[in-house]
Amino acid sequence: MRLVGLALVVAALIAAPGARALEVFACEPEWAALVRILLPEARITVATHAGQDPHEIEARPSLIAALRRADAAVCTGAGLEAGWLPMLQSRAANAKVQPGQPGMIEMARFTRLIDPRPASLSPFSGDVHPEGNPHFHLDPSRWPELARGLAQALTRLAPGHSTAMAERARAFEARWAERTRGWQARLAEAKRVRVAVQHTTFAYFFAFAGARVVADLEPKPGVPPTPGHLSATLGALRGAPPHAVWIATYQDARPARWLVGQMAGVRLVMLPATVDEAADESALVRWFDTLVGALAEVIAAVPAASLARSSGAAG
Ligand SMILES: [Zn+2]
């Protein structure tokens, strides 16, 4: 028995170099979660967390070191990381994760973005998202296509895991379809809700739910709220105040608090725009449950008279 055990250990050691776990650098925690679902063997470093603004992070030495040893980087793309990833790629000097390489996986390739801007506007408009809104992880209905795309991209880097990843992607899709139906059912009345936001972070979630975004506290995506823009927004909203001002926990809440304070019956909702760094599938589900639950509460608080008026106006 001991000899057999020893032989197994030796075999495992010999096999180890070829079967080395894939080193993955995930730009955002949501993609780390998806890698864990598809390839649980991967060793993952996550560059950002829910308390940070993913558009702007510091290129810390530990992140450069992590990108240097990575076999793959899994990022949002569409310009979300334009303020920091190119610098990390240049300092890490790792050929595998340079732009255009199979190891540089941009999730935006696997879905269709909303709100692309006319090319003529992009360079000088001050808009941080000329390629379109990159916050598509907020739409639960896109996760199956994202899982399929990522499984295929990772297969090129870890062909030995191809079958297992394809199976996990299929199983994930089946589980996810069931959950998505549940979320849609809870949000069936969301089209009656008007929200004001600060940045386009939750736009995909509201599009999924059918809620209407009636104001953005940012004058342009990525440009912080200004007193002039806030008072113009308040003026525009006076006639039909939003039911909620909805922002991400990493954002400065002062403009949203001010706006909420100027109108009666408007609730302030502050929620994380992503999962924790160590999140797995169940954490991903809990996060979407939280978003859906918060919007369901807003729906429940919309007065019946207002519901009738909104639906009358809409229909
Ligand atoms: Zn953004």
Side-chain angles (χ1 to χ4, degrees):
M1 282 303 279
R2 288 187 63 182
L3 272 178
V4 172
L6 184 64
L8 286 175
V9 169
V10 171
L13 287 173
I14 292 167
R20 188 176 67 84
L22 206 69
E23 289 274 355
V24 175
F25 179 97
C27 284
E28 291 84 26
E30 60 269 22
W31 308 137
L34 191 51
V35 171
R36 283 184 194 105
I37 291 165
L38 297 171
L39 191 62
E41 303 86 342
R43 297 216 311 220
I44 306 172
T45 302
V46 191
T48 57
H49 58 75
Q52 281 176 314
D53 178 352
H55 308 83
E56 306 261 0
I57 62 160
E58 204 186 322
R60 299 194 307 275
S62 61
L63 291 182
I64 296 165
L67 192 59
R68 186 170 292 144
R69 64 172 185 265
D71 300 304
V74 183
C75 300
T76 298
L80 177 67
E81 301 94 353
W84 53 274
L85 186 59
M87 189 194 294
L88 283 182
Q89 284 168 313
S90 145
R91 295 205 182 150
N94 175 355
K96 291 184 205 169
V97 294
Q98 297 304 314
Q101 293 304 305
M104 181 61 241
I105 302 170
E106 297 194 342
M107 297 300 295
R109 269 193 265 142
F110 310 131
T111 193
R112 183 192 290 266
L113 305 188
I114 58 176
D115 294 340
R117 305 291 193 274
S120 57
L121 275 181
S122 47
F124 308 109
S125 65
D127 179 337
V128 291
H129 297 318
E131 295 170 59
N133 184 330
H135 305 292
F136 50 85
H137 69 289
L138 266 299
D139 178 352
S141 71
R142 290 169 189 256
W143 279 75
E145 66 191 16
L146 295 170
R148 279 195 298 274
L150 182 56
Q152 278 167 16
L154 288 174
T155 288
R156 293 181 68 181
L157 308 168
H161 296 276
S162 161
T163 313
M165 279 196 286
E167 274 169 21
R168 288 183 198 122
R170 268 195 301 276
F172 170 78
E173 259 186 74
R175 293 190 296 270
W176 201 257
E178 178 74 32
R179 290 174 190 134
T180 304
R181 278 192 293 275
W183 290 324
Q184 277 164 334
R186 291 183 70 189
L187 299 175
E189 299 298 314
K191 58 185 174 298
R192 290 160 175 187
V193 167
R194 295 186 303 272
V195 290
V197 298
Q198 179 170 333
H199 194 62
T200 55
T201 306
F202 290 96
Y204 286 88
F205 178 65
F206 294 126
F208 166 77
R212 278 187 291 158
V213 178
V214 293
D216 193 329
L217 275 56
E218 288 185 341
K220 284 176 189 171
V223 177
T226 59
H229 179 69
L230 284 177
S231 67
T233 302
L234 176 62
L237 292 175
R238 281 238 188 258
H243 300 110
V245 178
W246 187 297
I247 66 171
T249 40
Y250 76 78
Q251 290 174 317
D252 178 358
R254 284 172 297 180
R257 282 192 211 287
W258 177 83
L259 191 66
V260 166
Q262 303 301 310
M263 295 176 286
V266 182
R267 55 171 71 198
L268 176 61
V269 180
M270 285 183 75
L271 287 169
T274 186
V275 289
D276 289 337
E277 292 151 279
D280 56 6
E281 185 172 339
S282 59
L284 193 59
V285 171
R286 281 198 302 277
W287 172 60
F288 273 119
D289 277 339
T290 304
L291 300 183
V292 168
L295 188 51
E297 274 183 36
V298 174
I299 297 168
V302 174
S306 163
L307 279 178
R309 203 167 52 235
S310 300
S311 63

